[in-house]
């Protein structure tokens, strides 16, 4: 090859490589990890993104989730920091990479500031994993000190906010502690902490209750004829507190009621129910749970509701499970809107439950606002009346699965449609979300079953 041609080819290849390597750069990133609402861990990553392309505009940014936390991700959103506008998100692959599309293309040389909000569940662990019945609980947060990014990061730092006294933390370069917060960094791209993917830990004291619903199923049964909406909830609950190191001792547990205001046993479960709920019941694997009560209508922060106070058959020690189901009925007209033959049913996506380790026999109603139960596997079922057609379900966020199936009950001819929604890692904040199921239901469908029964038993 002639020297001149070889030189030109090398120059073209060099320019091509330079163009391929140029792209988005995170000039600064600040990650704030909030541990004050366990078992939910909130992370906000504030990033300043610059487009270093020579001529191409950037239309999106890819958010990557570390492999160690992919199975614990509950919520993700990306917003422009200045306007607060939320960016559209699309999952790219099974590795939990999400593409956030800019509202306006990012021109070469321009910058944009984003806030990436993430919620993970059950990522902190108890250390030690086993303690005495009334000992303090110490938890450990552990993660990489750097954020995961496909684009280069020039400077970043991580701030960890603990709910209680900090017992110890990793002593890295540029690490400071102020009260209940530890700051790792700032680190530059050449820092050994980032080059070596350094891990960091924070050990802290926190005696607040943490529960995990291993399985939770909520069912709605719609009855137009009786103007009734029946609600049934199944729970398989676990206390996330450390296990008992020396075995359960009923004497110690009883004595602690007079010596301490609390211990590590969950003794009361608070379930928020609508103010017009009626015909309430609680059943576990043995039978009816008679140690339950319902408060009078309450008003907290402008919201009116009742509280069902459940007393499990045994105090739930750390890592112990309890399985039960409860139900009640409410007037269908309170949740249904009708326009001609078109019906819209608006119901809560999930129920709210709070565990309490208080020694008091009466738990303040305001404690229901302390949402301390995260759901690992959740299923919502809405059973519509026979004859419902043109059915659509509207969920305010992406879910793992949404399907419909047909199920037969007494005197059904064609069966009833059941809307089934499945989701994993449901954070306590999802109790504020609602599902809307729309369907067509004619007058003939309402009278069809009574007519059939009258003909059969004529």
């Amino acid at each position: 090859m002639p020297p001149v041609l070889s030189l030109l080819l090398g120059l073209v290849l060099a320019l091509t490589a330079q163009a391929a390597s140029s792209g988005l750069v995170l000039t600064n990133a600040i990650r704030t990890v909030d541990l004050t609402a366990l078992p939910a861990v909130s992370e906000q990553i504030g990033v300043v993104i610059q487009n270093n392309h020579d001529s191409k505009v950037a239309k999106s940014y890819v958010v990557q989730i570390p492999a160690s936390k992919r199975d614990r991700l509950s919520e993700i959103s990306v917003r422009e920091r200045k306007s607060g506008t939320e960016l559209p998100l699309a999952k790219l692959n099974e590795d939990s990479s999400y593409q956030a599309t800019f509202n306006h293309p990012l021109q070469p040389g321009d910058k944009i500031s984003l806030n990436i909000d993430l919620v993970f569940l059950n990522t902190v662990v108890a250390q030690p994993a086993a303690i005495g019945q009334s000992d303090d609980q110490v938890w450990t947060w552990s993660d990489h000190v750097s954020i995961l990014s496909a684009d280069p990061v020039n400077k970043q730092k991580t701030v960890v906010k603990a709910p209680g006294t900090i017992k110890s933390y990793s002593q890295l370069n540029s690490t400071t502690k102020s009260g209940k917060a530890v700051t790792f960094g700032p680190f530059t791209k050449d820092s050994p902490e980032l080059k070596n993917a350094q891990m960091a830990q924070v050990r802290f004291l926190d005696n607040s209750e943490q529960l995990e619903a291993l399985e939770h199923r909520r069912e709605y049964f719609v009855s137009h004829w009786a103007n009734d909406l029946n609600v049934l909830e199944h729970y398989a609950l676990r206390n996330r507190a450390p296990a008992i190191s020396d075995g359960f001792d009923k004497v110690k547990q009883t004595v602690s009621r007079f010596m301490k205001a609390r211990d590590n046993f969950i003794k009361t479960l608070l379930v928020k129910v609508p103010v017009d709920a009626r015909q309430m019941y609680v059943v576990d694997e043995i039978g009816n749970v008679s140690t339950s009560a319902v408060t009078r209508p309450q008003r907290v922060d402008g919201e009116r509701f009742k509280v069902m106070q459940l007393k499990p058959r045994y105090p739930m020690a750390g890592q112990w499970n309890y399985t039960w189901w409860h139900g009640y009925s409410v007037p269908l007209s309170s949740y249904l809107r009708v326009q001609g033959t078109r019906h819209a049913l608006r119901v809560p996506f999930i129920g709210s439950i709070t565990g309490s380790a208080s020694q008091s026999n009466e738990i303040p109603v305001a404690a229901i606002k302390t949402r301390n139960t995260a759901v690992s596997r959740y299923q919502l079922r809405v059973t519509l009346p026979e004859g419902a057609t043109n059915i659509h379900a509207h969920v305010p966020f992406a879910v793992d699965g949404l399907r419909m199936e047909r199920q037969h009950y007494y005197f059904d001819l064609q069966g009833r449609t059941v809307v089934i929604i499945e989701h994993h890692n449901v954070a306590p904040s999802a109790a504020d979300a609602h599902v809307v199921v729309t369907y067509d239901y004619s007058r003939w469908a309402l009278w069809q079953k009574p007519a059939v029964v009258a003909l059969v038993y004529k």
Side-chain angles (χ1 to χ4, degrees), residues 267-274 277 279-283 288-298 305-312 322 324 326-328 354 361-363 365 368:
K267 307 171 195 66
T268 308
L269 300 170
L270 307 177
V271 181
K272 185 168 69 173
V273 298
Q279 299 175 354
M280 288 168 276
Y281 61 92
V282 182
V283 181
N288 291 331
V289 181
S290 59
T291 54
S292 58
V294 180
T295 67
R296 295 180 178 178
Q298 306 289 328
F305 55 87
K306 296 178 184 176
V307 176
M308 186 187 299
Q309 297 186 355
L310 284 68
K311 297 285 187 180
Y322 185 60
W324 84 95
H326 64 263
Y328 53 88
T354 300
N361 291 327
E362 295 186 6
I363 310 299
V365 175
I368 195 70

Side-chain angles (χ1 to χ4, degrees), residues 242-257:
I244 302 175
S245 59
D246 52 355
F248 176 69
D249 190 324
K250 180 62 177 178
V251 175
K252 290 183 179 180
Q253 198 269 330
T254 303
V255 170
S256 68
R257 296 184 58 182

Side-chain angles (χ1 to χ4, degrees), residues 8-22 54:
L8 290 175
L9 180 60
L11 181 60
V12 170
L13 292 175
L15 292 175
T16 303
Q18 181 179 1
S21 62
S22 63
D54 296 330

Side-chain angles (χ1 to χ4, degrees), residues 304-342:
R304 295 185 73 240
F305 55 87
K306 296 178 184 176
V307 176
M308 186 187 299
Q309 297 186 355
L310 284 68
K311 297 285 187 180
R313 293 185 184 274
Y314 49 85
M316 294 173 59
Q319 302 302 308
W320 284 17
N321 299 345
Y322 185 60
T323 302
W324 84 95
W325 57 96
H326 64 263
Y328 53 88
S329 292
V330 291
L332 177 62
S333 55
S334 300
Y335 301 86
L336 189 67
R337 297 294 177 265
V338 181
Q339 186 173 6
T341 60
R342 196 62 178 165

Side-chain angles (χ1 to χ4, degrees), residues 74-75 216-220 231-233 235 335 345-352 375 377-382 393-402 419-437:
S74 175
E75 299 175 4
H216 179 199
R217 185 173 76 252
R218 186 179 180 95
E219 302 182 44
Y220 292 103
V231 184
L232 177 63
E233 292 194 275
Y235 273 98
Y335 301 86
L345 178 71
R346 184 177 183 269
V347 292
F349 173 73
I350 194 171
S352 175
V375 180
R377 293 186 299 275
Y378 179 64
Q379 184 181 87
L380 173 66
R381 300 172 66 93
V382 181
H394 309 270
V395 189
F397 46 80
V399 293
D400 296 334
L402 194 161
V419 180
I420 302 175
I421 301 173
E422 295 177 323
H423 201 45
H424 291 75
N425 297 329
V426 183
S429 58
D432 297 327
H434 287 77
V435 174
V436 178
V437 178

Side-chain angles (χ1 to χ4, degrees), residues 64-74 91 93-98 120 123 148 425:
Q64 294 186 328
I65 308 299
S68 60
K69 299 190 293 185
R70 288 170 189 165
D71 294 337
R72 298 294 185 177
L73 178 64
S74 175
K91 190 173 182 178
N93 49 49
E94 295 300 327
D95 295 332
S96 293
S97 294
Y98 296 83
F120 299 94
T123 55
L148 182 62
N425 297 329

